[in-house]
Amino acid sequence: MLKLYEAQLTSRLLLGTARYPSPAILTAAVRASGAQVVTVSLRRESAGERAGQGFWSIVQNWVRDLGVRVLPNTAGCHSVKEAVTTAHMGREVFNTSWVKLEVIGEDDTLQPDVFGLAEAARILCAEGFAVFPYTTEDLIVAERLLEAGCRVLMPWGSPIGSGRGLNNLFGLKALRARYPEVPLVVDAGIGVPSHAAQALELGFDAVLINTAVSQARDPIAMAGAFAQAVIAGRAAYRAGPMEPRELAAPSTPLIGQAFLP
Amino acid sequence: MRILVNGASREVRAADLSAALEELGYGGAVIATAVNGEFVPAAERGAARLAEDDELEVLASMQGG
């Protein structure tokens, strides 16, 4: 059972909702993924098109039919003020105190501005938000986020949308070892199910996937593949993986082998 | 008065944010609003007076990662 703030979850796969070919495929992918948490965003609404109203009713259907929880993000925010204002707006529109906090520092890597992130986290935690900070594997940043009041951390695997998997294994392992009791969700850069399985095998509590599913040729099938990978990874972690070795160790016993010169 | 709505220049007669949103065609929509970069909660829209050249952002739910 995965516990993120007050939510008790059975699925360790969180799903982003961006860049799908169509709303129908998105809905089917959410269903196929088994995800119980989906991220959403806020964008300008046109009075004429009212696209946001359409998406809002789709989201409400998921909440009603699938029991998913909504996690609004502050995607695209570069400053503390922008992120905090966006969080306030997300809380009002989505009626939740959950927020995936992104304070972006640089547009090629979309890496977090960790200083702004810690400051925004401090402000939002004090206001009662349940903050899910999108961060790096940096241990000191993690410490500041926890001091600010975050009870979940979301370290990146690799840059958003890059599909490169877990880039800094040493750093991620160090983060996992430093905070064994903190729910850690690997978010960003996962490309294929084996990346997700690897994250779970390393002891991470969950993964958040978006582009790897939405930009697959068959997003619905890929969502199902990720669901299986996360289950396998977690089961492997619980089963206690073997220790790797430098050199071979025969698996078939030598005793009783025939002498056949 | 002329204000910016989501970056586009618009003419509104209404003096407060709530009435302006109705006038602009947002009536009944699930939205969040900010004026000049400051969040205006729904409950405070009626009391929020608009001024010439104010910048209004009207946001709603969208897909996101």
Side-chain angles (χ1 to χ4, degrees), chain A residues 209-234:
Chain A
I209 319 278
N210 193 151
T211 308
V213 172
S214 68
Q215 294 290 294
R217 195 182 65 245
D218 183 344
I220 300 162
M222 189 60 79
F226 269 102
Q228 294 186 72
V230 165
I231 291 169
R234 180 65 179 177

Side-chain angles (χ1 to χ4, degrees), chain A residues 112-223:
Chain A
D113 166 3
V114 296
F115 306 105
L117 178 68
E119 173 64 14
R122 195 186 54 76
I123 293 169
L124 293 172
C125 289
E127 292 177 354
F129 282 84
V131 175
F132 294 68
Y134 157 64
T135 182
T136 66
E137 63 277 355
D138 188 296
L139 298 177
I140 308 306
V141 174
E143 186 67 30
R144 293 290 169 268
L145 292 169
L146 294 170
E147 281 171 3
C150 297
R151 293 289 163 261
V152 174
L153 298 177
M154 303 222 290
W156 63 354
S158 52
I160 294 170
S162 70
R164 304 186 80 79
L166 306 187
N167 186 40
N168 180 359
L169 280 175
F170 174 75
L172 288 169
K173 286 180 185 175
L175 180 66
R176 177 70 285 177
R178 177 73 182 79
Y179 297 106
E181 301 303 322
V182 177
L184 299 178
V185 180
V186 173
D187 171 27
I190 288 176
V192 285
S194 53
H195 297 156
Q198 186 185 27
L200 272 290
E201 285 158 15
L202 291 175
F204 285 87
D205 297 276
V207 291
L208 200 162
I209 319 278
N210 193 151
T211 308
V213 172
S214 68
Q215 294 290 294
R217 195 182 65 245
D218 183 344
I220 300 162
M222 189 60 79

Side-chain angles (χ1 to χ4, degrees), chain B residues 6-62:
Chain B
N6 288 345
S9 182
R10 298 291 299 273
E11 181 71 35
V12 293
R13 284 188 302 279
D16 68 83
L17 179 54
S18 184
L21 290 170
E22 280 289 337
E23 189 183 335
L24 290 163
Y26 287 106
V30 179
I31 50 175
T33 51
V35 177
N36 299 329
E38 303 293 329
F39 170 54
V40 180
E44 294 172 20
R45 288 180 194 152
R49 314 291 300 170
L50 292 175
E52 186 81 18
D53 296 330
D54 270 352
E55 296 185 22
L56 169 59
E57 291 287 335
V58 183
L59 306 188
S61 69
M62 269 301 283

Side-chain angles (χ1 to χ4, degrees), chain A residues 82-95:
Chain A
E82 249 188 309
V84 169
T85 299
T86 302
H88 289 157
M89 296 170 88
R91 180 168 59 179
E92 184 168 271
V93 168
F94 294 106
N95 195 32

